[in-house]
Amino acid sequence: MNIKKRMNLFLGACLLAGGMWAQTVCVSTPNTSLLLSAPQGCKLKVLHYGHRLAANEVESVSAAEAGHNAYPEYGLICPTETAIAVKHHDGNMTLDLQVVQSRVEESGEAMLATVEMKDSRYPFFVTLRYKAFRDADVIEAWTEISHQEKKPVTLHQFASAYLPIRRGNVWISHLYGSWANEGRLAQEALQPGMKVIKNKDGVRNSHTAHAEVMFSLDGQPRELEGRVIGAALCYSGNYKLRIDTHDDEYHHFFAGINEENSAYSLKRDERFTTPALALTYSNEGLSGSSRNFHRWARQHKLAHGNVPRKILLNSWEGVYFDINQEGMDQMMGDIAAMGGELFVMDDGWFGDKYPRKSDNSSLGDWVVDTDKLPNGIEGLLADARKHGIKFGIWIEPEMANTTSELYEQHPEWIVQAPGREPVLGRGGTQVVLDLSNPEVQDFVFGIVDRLMTAYPEIDYIKWDANMSIQNHGSNYLTKDNQSHLYIAYHQGFEQVCQRIRAKYPDLTIQACASGGGRANYGILPYFDEFWVSDNTDALQRVYMQWGTSYFFPAIAMASHISAAPNHQTFRTIPLKYRVDVAMSGRLGMEIQPKNMTDEEKTLCKKAIAEYKEIRDVVQMGDIYRLVSPYDNLGVASLMYVAPRKEEAVFYWWKTEHFCNQHLPRVRMAGLNPDRLYTVHELNRIDNVPLPFEGKNFTGAYLMNNGLEIPYTHQVDYHKQTAYASRILQLTVVD
Ligand code: DGJ
């Protein structure tokens, strides 16, 4: 890093009070700052979060802003919402936190601010930490809680962080939708009252709602303009985001673990660390905040965030449970012939005493079903080698079926209310393993470890999880600590993930949970990507992937070409459209290739070859969402632009079809206005090229006028359909 940059960062972390401990703490990323007032013996206040402060204005801002208690505690100002509420060992329900000391340190990739607080009467400590990244506009905030009281203290509320957001036509954008409809976008103005976004699934926390939200500060959300604060709770378990609006000038935003039925009994000297809340700010609209999250994800949060992903075929929709050696070999041959790089064998390959023929048995018995696969995994790896591709495998390690050898041996390993029959899930026999139990953690780690030790060539694991915690109870936790189950489950899960990553750093792992149930930044440090949804219908995916892109980069969004009619919506969508949608994420296939015509295979082969050309731009580029499918304008459009703006890919998908339809002309964004770009259509099916094919335009023209995209394809009469889509590759002319 050059000296100027270092100086800037130093100034960004200013300690105004002089002396060893700061009265004012300011941490900055390249374009944002968080300013806190931290006088010793007083309340910690948050004064500013938003655009980056100049070093010479920090003092003025500190004087001008009254600020808000940075971690509101329950007990002495009862009527307001709080970040923390506890019951001390003696039954006292109050907290009065005061700053003990604060500091700002350099910590490799980031500046780390720490503010230590202590209760004025009890030996009860709360430390707030803020990590401001040097190369991404994200500040992670989290909290550590400990005490030295005589007996355990019960934590009833323990938010990761709190942020006051100034009122004035503030809108939120957040995601909702359950199985087969994940990642739907909801946008609404904040009104007086409390808005709660929460999850209580126990396992799959991005079904029904998401742990991320964006605040548009300047009225109705806009993609390319306006100030936006984004927040993502980096947690895989139950969460609660609260936005309280009562009779003052601020919306009060709290985010953290969902404390419902999760009171935590904290022992003396034990440290409770909350998950981080990642905050970003942009004055370039929602897309600007998304770009910040994506950059941070690729650089710091997502496993292998800077490594381009392989193009794969996953076997699920192609054969479901009907796995066999010949079938796998055929699929591997087909994907290899189309230019794919990886084949993933999904569910149905395991079970000895109880072979997995459907979803009602065998989870837990991770041994090859030798009736289906007489040559075992060795045979499959040999096939993959023969076809010159890599091999991946599906597992669902956190689960068991009651019809399994595992359950027969270890009935006590499942999540189950003591003294009651277990509540059963998928297939009428599925149960969740109790990851609070270290023996279960060893078992789950061992599933991956045994596979990888025996078959180090395995390149990819699809890690599924298809059940919620339905019944509350652990045979491992003490009777006093049953309320720890949800939290202990995810601590156990994370420990397993850490062990896997320590031993198998290069393995690619997909997070799948009944489709898109695990799209969250709690798991992504250990997982390379997530399955966006079991719904592979391309039209519905336009909506789901649009929403998901608010917080997650394309490199993490598994997006597969599937069959028509679609297996979930039964809609028949032409292959060209299916391909054009899948190519806007991490491209893959979810289809039986032997049912495809030669013409279809040729189209896919060409698409795969073309995706390889744009892969870096899609997976590493900056997103600009242009026309939202949720605006019902008949078209959706977005683009990715390479960081140095020398390449871009523009996507345009028609979302409804009427004759003589008037669609908006889409203006591009994110290009260099002064450079000339050549336009080239990918996956062309039209009989004649588009009028602008091969022509050069300035970025300024493309951003001010856009290109006129015909609303149908010029194809032979019998090939015409209601669908139309385009992918344009833009390359700077040297
Ligand atoms: C649910 C997943 O979402 C699917 O992709 C598939 O892997 C099935 N489980 C297998 O049982």
Side-chain angles (χ1 to χ4, degrees):
M1 189 189 312
N2 64 34
I3 294 199
K4 199 171 160 204
K5 263 195 180 157
R6 272 191 187 282
M7 270 309 288
N8 280 342
L9 285 166
F10 176 70
L11 291 172
C14 36
L15 304 178
L16 289 186
M20 196 165 166
W21 305 116
Q23 300 264 309
T24 305
V25 175
C26 179
V27 283
S28 295
T29 68
N31 299 294
T32 73
S33 292
L34 173 74
L35 179 64
L36 304 161
S37 146
Q40 241 173 31
C42 301
K43 291 283 175 210
L44 177 70
K45 302 245 170 188
V46 53
L47 303 180
H48 167 83
Y49 175 64
H51 80 271
R52 184 183 164 106
L53 299 177
N56 60 6
E57 68 181 337
V58 168
E59 202 169 348
S60 309
V61 174
S62 306
E65 297 291 342
H68 286 83
N69 188 348
Y71 199 66
E73 65 273 48
Y74 181 78
L76 297 177
I77 311 172
C78 295
T80 59
E81 281 294 311
T82 48
I84 183 166
V86 308
K87 184 159 96 177
H88 295 280
H89 74 283
D90 59 2
N92 191 311
M93 299 280 288
T94 65
L95 270 176
D96 176 26
L97 297 174
Q98 297 175 347
V99 173
V100 177
Q101 59 183 38
S102 61
R103 59 183 179 274
V104 179
E105 308 153 289
E106 298 242 7
S107 98
E109 59 195 11
M111 303 294 296
L112 183 65
T114 301
V115 183
E116 293 173 12
M117 298 186 290
K118 182 190 166 300
D119 186 85
S120 55
R121 186 172 144 202
Y122 288 87
F124 186 92
F125 312 99
V126 172
T127 299
L128 300 190
R129 295 196 192 266
Y130 301 91
K131 183 175 182 181
F133 288 87
R134 293 210 166 79
D135 56 358
D137 282 318
V138 167
I139 297 178
E140 290 180 14
W142 71 96
T143 300
E144 295 163 11
I145 304 168
S146 61
H147 72 86
Q148 292 179 334
E149 299 188 24
K150 290 189 191 104
K151 291 195 209 138
V153 173
T154 309
L155 309 183
H156 289 289
Q157 208 170 41
F158 31 88
S160 294
Y162 157 74
L163 191 70
I165 295 175
R166 183 66 167 84
R167 278 172 81 161
N169 207 8
V170 175
W171 285 58
I172 56 167
S173 301
H174 58 106
L175 307 181
Y176 72 97
S178 51
W179 180 82
N181 196 24
E182 297 91 334
R184 299 289 298 208
L185 178 65
Q187 297 184 307
E188 59 199 280
L190 283 178
Q191 299 291 344
M194 177 107 106
K195 174 75 189 173
V196 176
I197 299 170
K198 62 159 177 60
N199 177 277
K200 303 206 300 189
D201 185 276
V203 176
R204 304 163 302 181
N205 82 357
S206 54
H207 273 163
T208 71
H210 261 250
E212 304 87 30
V213 61
M214 285 200 193
F215 298 86
S216 292
L217 307 183
D218 302 312
Q220 214 150 349
R222 285 170 296 160
E223 281 295 345
L224 304 173
E225 286 149 7
R227 297 170 305 146
V228 174
I229 289 174
L233 186 73
C234 306
Y235 190 53
S236 58
N238 294 352
Y239 57 82
K240 193 183 268 181
L241 312 182
R242 287 172 285 154
I243 306 152
D244 187 40
T245 307
H246 57 249
D247 206 20
D248 66 7
E249 302 306 324
Y250 283 78
H251 302 288
H252 302 274
F253 173 51
F254 299 84
I257 291 176
N258 191 334
E259 72 283 357
E260 284 176 45
N261 304 309
S262 291
Y264 196 90
S265 172
L266 189 69
K267 294 196 290 276
R268 184 187 165 99
D269 288 327
E270 182 185 350
R271 183 163 281 245
F272 183 91
T273 303
T274 72
L277 177 71
L279 290 166
T280 191
Y281 167 83
S282 168
N283 58 13
E284 294 178 13
L286 297 163
S287 286
S289 271
S290 298
R291 290 192 289 279
N292 291 348
F293 274 132
H294 296 181
R295 208 167 300 139
W296 160 78
R298 285 191 301 262
Q299 307 281 47
H300 304 287
K301 217 61 191 171
L302 174 67
H304 311 123
N306 285 318
V307 181
R309 305 306 198 232
K310 297 188 184 75
I311 298 161
L312 62 84
L313 170 65
N314 184 60
S315 69
W316 180 240
E317 284 197 23
V319 297
Y320 293 102
F321 293 100
D322 191 11
I323 301 279
N324 60 64
Q325 183 83 38
E326 298 71 39
M328 298 298 96
D329 182 51
Q330 164 255 312
M331 290 181 106
M332 287 190 233
D334 284 333
I335 187 62
M338 284 187 274
E341 299 152 326
L342 166 70
F343 172 74
V344 182
M345 177 174 66
D346 207 288
D347 198 351
W349 60 268
F350 53 94
D352 180 18
K353 181 173 171 190
Y354 302 106
R356 176 89 162 167
K357 295 195 172 14
S358 78
D359 61 6
N360 62 8
S361 75
S362 325
L363 294 176
D365 301 347
W366 300 106
V367 290
V368 171
D369 175 350
T370 45
D371 282 344
K372 289 180 176 176
L373 299 168
N375 300 332
I377 292 172
E378 300 87 15
L380 298 167
L381 287 168
D383 286 339
R385 242 177 277 129
K386 175 179 79 188
H387 296 298
I389 58 172
K390 299 285 183 189
F391 177 77
I393 195 164
W394 178 96
I395 49 177
E396 194 177 353
E398 298 152 82
M399 307 285 163
N401 291 106
T402 49
T403 311
S404 69
E405 293 186 70
L406 177 73
Y407 183 71
E408 287 170 353
Q409 285 154 18
H410 288 292
E412 78 286 4
W413 277 5
I414 67 167
V415 170
Q416 176 185 16
R420 296 188 191 273
E421 287 302 306
V423 178
L424 303 173
R426 189 183 184 201
T429 58
Q430 187 157 337
V431 285
V432 182
L433 295 177
D434 179 3
L435 270 171
S436 72
N437 182 342
E439 276 183 41
V440 174
Q441 293 168 22
D442 287 346
F443 171 76
V444 172
F445 169 74
I447 297 166
V448 174
D449 194 34
R450 268 192 299 279
L451 272 174
M452 294 308 298
T453 305
Y455 314 108
E457 265 180 89
I458 291 178
D459 187 69
Y460 179 107
I461 281 181
K462 175 173 175 176
W463 179 304
D464 208 343
N466 291 302
M467 191 177 165
S468 3
I469 292 185
Q470 290 281 358
N471 42 188
H472 193 135
S474 164
N475 292 309
Y476 172 76
L477 296 170
T478 63
K479 73 175 172 19
D480 293 336
N481 285 347
Q482 289 291 308
S483 61
H484 291 199
L485 175 64
Y486 290 117
I487 293 171
Y489 183 95
H490 286 276
Q491 285 168 342
F493 176 50
E494 183 156 25
Q495 271 159 27
V496 171
C497 291
Q498 281 165 352
R499 286 170 72 184
I500 291 171
R501 277 307 178 198
K503 193 156 177 196
Y504 303 105
D506 299 331
L507 183 65
T508 303
I509 314 182
Q510 180 190 77
C512 173
S514 312
R518 265 194 178 157
N520 66 64
Y521 280 113
I523 56 127
L524 285 178
Y526 313 103
F527 289 77
D528 300 69
E529 60 177 32
F530 55 86
W531 183 220
V532 174
S533 175
D534 272 350
N535 188 340
T536 54
D537 175 281
L539 182 61
Q540 199 163 338
R541 277 284 183 131
V542 168
Y543 292 79
M544 292 189 285
Q545 294 182 183
W546 182 275
T548 307
S549 80
Y550 270 50
F551 303 99
F552 302 98
I555 191 171
M557 289 165 51
S559 178
H560 295 180
I561 302 163
S562 65
N566 180 268
H567 292 193
Q568 294 77 37
T569 61
F570 311 105
R571 192 170 10 226
T572 297
I573 295 181
L575 183 59
K576 152 80 175 157
Y577 193 96
R578 284 178 269 147
V579 169
D580 281 3
V581 172
M583 276 176 65
S584 66
R586 195 281 283 133
L587 175 66
M589 299 187 79
E590 187 85 23
I591 197 166
Q592 172 51 281
K594 81 173 178 201
N595 297 337
M596 295 167 71
T597 64
D598 286 345
E599 191 183 352
E600 288 174 328
K601 282 186 182 161
T602 304
L603 202 154
C604 286
K605 184 172 180 180
K606 188 162 171 278
I608 287 173
E610 296 194 320
Y611 184 78
K612 286 177 183 167
E613 278 183 36
I614 59 168
R615 170 159 43 192
D616 281 358
V617 184
V618 176
Q619 297 188 359
M620 312 295 170
D622 287 324
I623 194 167
Y624 291 82
R625 286 181 299 264
L626 305 172
V627 180
S628 170
Y630 296 91
D631 286 346
N632 299 319
L633 296 172
V635 69
S637 179
L638 58 79
M639 61 195 291
Y640 299 108
V641 182
R644 289 205 304 279
K645 299 188 185 296
E646 73 286 7
E647 276 182 90
V649 192
F650 169 87
Y651 294 84
W652 181 99
W653 306 284
K654 214 163 70 167
T655 50
E656 59 183 27
H657 181 64
F658 299 102
C659 282
N660 209 1
Q661 188 174 11
H662 301 296
L663 296 178
R665 180 159 160 160
V666 183
R667 292 196 291 143
M668 298 189 188
L671 301 172
N672 182 334
D674 303 324
R675 300 208 65 181
L676 266 187
Y677 293 86
T678 304
V679 179
H680 168 54
E681 185 185 6
L682 304 181
N683 298 342
R684 173 158 81 84
I685 56 164
D686 295 45
N687 294 333
V688 290
L690 291 164
F692 43 75
E693 173 67 32
K695 302 278 185 291
N696 301 334
F697 303 87
T698 59
Y701 180 85
L702 296 170
M703 293 193 289
N704 286 308
N705 302 281
L707 295 168
E708 197 64 69
I709 312 270
Y711 81 109
T712 53
H713 288 286
Q714 281 201 40
V715 290
D716 295 346
Y717 183 78
H718 72 280
K719 289 188 175 170
Q720 283 175 1
T721 73
Y723 289 86
S725 57
R726 306 279 172 177
I727 304 181
L728 304 179
Q729 181 182 22
L730 311 179
T731 315
V732 154
V733 185
D734 285 326

